[in-house]
Amino acid sequence: MSLYQTEAIVLRHYELGEADKIAILYTKERGKVRAVAKGVRKTRSRLAGAMEVFTHNQLQLYQGKSLAKVNQVRVLKSFADLRADLWQMSYASYLAELVNELTVDQERDQALFALLLTSLNLLSKEENLMLVVRFFELRLLRLLGYQPELKCCVECDTALEELTKLKFSSQQGGVICGDCSAKDQYAMYLSKGSVAIMNRLLEIDYRHLNRLKLPVKSRQQLAKVIPNYLQSILEKPLKTLDFIRVLNAQGSN
Amino acid sequence: MKHYAQPIAKLIGQLTKLPGIGPKTAQRLAFYILDSTQEEVEELALTIKDVKDNINYCSVCNNFSAEEVCSICKDETRDTNTICIVENSKDIVAMERTGEYKGVYHVLHGSISPMEGRGPDDIRLNSLLSRIKEKNIEEVILATDPNVEGEATAMYIVRLLEPFEITISRIAHGLPVGGDLEYADEVTLSKALEGRTKV
């Protein structure tokens, strides 16, 4: 139990009682923290604006037994533009949901914090949104120790160059050759080009992300394969993905 | 709960389900009900049942109503060419208290939320669309909450209504009356600056 200062990004929040909220924050110093923000649902609240999702804050928190309490807050970047476009908002929500679902409370990971902040920045600049999302997913997987095997078949170790029919196995966490793919009936098609893009995304400096081209076919493949892998790690569906699917289905882009 | 007679324990259990009611408050309410007269208790019970039995959605605006069409939609003095879209019926009460708004409403009964996986199909948009197609609507005012869900809902409706030739407006975000500029948060203040009006 102590008072401390930290930078944090608001991942989501839910209502508590009449006028309060519990915010799930990803802090730079202590990882994921749940904090009570008092009175934020009242119109006069000074905290309210800062507790909106995606906001990057400098906070003073008081850590209680399980929940923290938000004492003071200074907005560093509100990311208001991410909330002003349905697609940007949906993808940013997806990043926030991933971080929230894949991390545990009070486990510090400054690299993850930096990745989230960078990716939100890229999304707000309206770069190729899909590319930013794929970049985030792969880097997140690597940080959390789930980096998929992309150099050789996960089953028989045959190098990628020698493989002809490629698939991706979420169950095994990597590319799988045509022969071995019989073992995982849910393995999905993945072209060599898509694998190359995945490898590039794992290496690339985020400042050069816009140099990368994402052909339509790879875009479609990766939009299936990577989220599927993430959901198989989580062992549950991601809510924002359902939402994005509905938006796509209505073709309102 | 073993210290209570079974019916009391059951009542306390039911009351605890209500929002903002903890076990202690539930206990106090339960004992208050026990102390009340037979008539009072019956009236309370019947009132609760009456609300559930007789309140339906207004066939025009989806507001809660005891009749087929709610009192606001029935009111002929109101401007039926302007629709104010709100998230729930409580918001209508808030808007009506201002006494400024003379148009009619449309209640969505919810909001779009990517985080909760609540999509456009989960709110009442179809009846809004048919209203706009059938009637001569001039303006739609988006009065959803100024938070992420409310903004998402507003943006979605803007997109939905684009093909129609109507004015779509969003209620302003800004400083509360009687507030203090120095204590305003940055986001609100920048929104207030953005939406400044000429005097």
Side-chain angles (χ1 to χ4, degrees):
Chain A
M1 282 184 244
S2 63
L3 207 56
Y4 63 99
Q5 299 273 349
T6 182
E7 274 178 47
I9 293 164
V10 183
L11 297 179
R12 67 172 295 175
H13 43 63
Y14 39 95
E15 298 184 349
L16 175 74
E18 189 64 27
D20 308 336
K21 267 180 185 173
I22 292 178
I24 301 178
L25 307 166
Y26 200 84
T27 66
K28 194 173 177 181
E29 308 299 331
R30 300 194 182 191
K32 191 168 75 177
V33 170
R34 286 162 207 274
V36 177
K38 283 281 195 187
V40 287
R41 277 152 65 203
K42 293 184 181 159
T43 8
R44 293 268 183 106
S45 167
R46 192 177 142 58
L47 278 181
M51 286 298 125
E52 278 295 353
V53 281
F54 320 134
T55 313
H56 178 207
N57 291 316
Q58 176 72 38
L59 291 150
Q60 190 186 58
L61 294 172
Y62 176 80
Q63 184 63 49
K65 268 181 195 151
S66 63
L67 290 170
K69 185 178 167 293
V70 181
N71 265 357
Q72 280 179 24
V73 60
R74 186 163 59 90
V75 176
L76 296 175
K77 184 158 184 180
S78 75
F79 286 114
D81 34 356
L82 283 182
R83 297 188 293 264
D85 174 271
L86 212 47
W87 286 104
Q88 277 167 290
M89 179 194 285
S90 305
Y91 286 128
S93 301
Y94 174 58
L95 306 194
E97 187 181 14
L98 280 180
V99 172
N100 184 26
E101 294 292 346
L102 285 160
T103 56
V104 289
D105 283 7
Q106 307 274 357
E107 204 176 88
R108 170 179 154 133
D109 190 339
Q110 296 206 347
L112 203 165
F113 178 85
L115 173 66
L116 179 61
L117 188 58
T118 307
S119 305
L120 289 177
N121 262 314
L122 290 170
L123 279 183
S124 74
K125 277 186 210 149
E126 260 190 293
E127 307 246 354
N128 186 338
L129 299 181
M130 275 295 215
L131 206 55
V132 178
V133 172
R134 302 284 92 91
F135 165 82
F136 178 83
E137 288 170 330
L138 285 166
R139 295 298 179 97
L140 182 71
L141 284 167
R142 180 164 68 191
L143 284 175
L144 297 172
Y146 293 111
Q147 181 175 340
E149 176 59 68
L150 300 172
K151 306 281 183 208
C152 59
C153 169
V154 274
E155 277 290 329
C156 62
D157 288 345
T158 316
L160 185 73
E161 294 78 41
E162 294 163 32
L163 297 177
T164 46
K165 271 192 174 167
L166 264 188
K167 279 190 173 181
F168 187 91
S169 164
S170 293
Q171 211 181 326
Q172 307 285 339
V175 289
I176 193 162
C177 68
D179 299 336
C180 302
S181 71
K183 287 181 186 163
D184 180 3
Q185 54 168 325
Y186 298 109
M188 287 182 287
Y189 283 104
L190 190 66
S191 69
K192 275 195 181 174
S194 303
V195 176
I197 290 172
M198 287 170 87
N199 276 319
R200 282 287 289 146
L201 283 169
L202 281 162
E203 291 157 13
I204 202 167
D205 182 329
Y206 73 90
R207 279 164 295 200
H208 301 150
L209 197 60
N210 55 3
R211 289 184 199 168
L212 210 61
K213 292 274 177 289
L214 190 60
V216 181
K217 205 173 168 207
S218 292
R219 195 179 77 198
Q220 288 167 344
Q221 278 182 351
L222 294 178
K224 276 189 193 143
V225 165
I226 307 177
N228 183 283
Y229 178 45
L230 282 159
Q231 296 192 84
S232 81
I233 292 169
L234 277 169
E235 294 181 344
K236 68 173 186 182
L238 289 156
K239 287 178 179 167
T240 39
L241 278 180
D242 281 342
F243 184 84
I244 291 168
R245 203 172 299 129
V246 172
L247 275 193
N248 270 322
Q250 300 193 335
S252 46
N253 193 1
Chain B
M1 288 289 198
K2 64 180 178 191
H3 306 297
Y4 300 115
Q6 216 272 326
I8 305 180
K10 195 177 166 194
L11 178 60
I12 293 177
Q14 289 295 325
L15 291 170
T16 318
K17 288 184 192 164
L18 299 174
I21 309 277
K24 197 69 192 168
T25 315
Q27 182 203 43
R28 202 166 71 234
L29 291 174
F31 280 95
Y32 177 83
I33 290 171
L34 264 184
D35 284 341
S36 309
T37 62
Q38 188 71 25
E39 293 82 58
E40 281 174 329
V41 173
E42 271 168 21
E43 199 184 335
L44 176 65
L46 283 175
T47 314
I48 293 176
K49 200 168 150 19
D50 187 44
V51 162
K52 201 62 196 165
D53 286 346
N54 294 324
I55 294 291
N56 279 310
Y57 298 115
C58 165
S59 61
V60 182
C61 71
N62 291 324
N63 189 10
F64 287 120
S65 166
E67 291 152 61
E68 169 75 17
V69 177
C70 75
S71 57
I72 295 174
C73 293
K74 253 189 211 164
D75 189 344
E76 284 174 7
T77 61
R78 299 189 80 110
D79 168 19
T80 50
N81 296 332
T82 309
I83 299 181
C84 176
I85 300 179
V86 292
E87 286 180 25
N88 55 56
S89 291
K90 284 186 277 181
D91 298 333
I92 291 193
V93 179
M95 289 293 281
E96 284 298 291
R97 275 206 308 262
T98 64
E100 297 280 328
Y101 183 64
K102 297 287 176 244
V104 290
Y105 295 93
H106 185 89
V107 188
L108 298 171
H109 290 288
S111 53
I112 291 176
S113 168
M115 300 252 184
E116 303 288 341
R118 272 203 314 270
D121 298 337
D122 300 320
I123 58 174
R124 294 170 181 247
L125 284 170
N126 289 339
S127 49
L128 175 70
L129 273 180
S130 48
R131 257 177 112 177
I132 288 169
K133 276 178 201 154
E134 286 158 21
K135 306 230 172 73
N136 183 25
I137 306 296
E138 281 162 12
E139 184 176 359
V140 165
I141 302 168
L142 299 167
T144 50
D145 290 340
N147 53 29
V148 184
E149 291 83 12
E151 291 297 336
T153 312
M155 283 187 284
Y156 185 81
I157 295 175
V158 170
R159 201 167 283 193
L160 202 64
L161 301 186
E162 252 170 11
F164 303 97
E165 279 182 13
I166 41 175
T167 313
I168 306 171
S169 55
R170 176 92 173 101
I171 49 164
H173 310 287
L175 301 169
V177 176
D180 203 334
L181 203 69
E182 145 183 36
Y183 289 111
D185 70 275
E186 295 84 340
V187 190
T188 309
L189 200 54
S190 66
K191 284 275 187 190
L193 197 61
E194 207 180 289
R196 66 186 183 275
T197 48
K198 207 174 170 190
V199 286

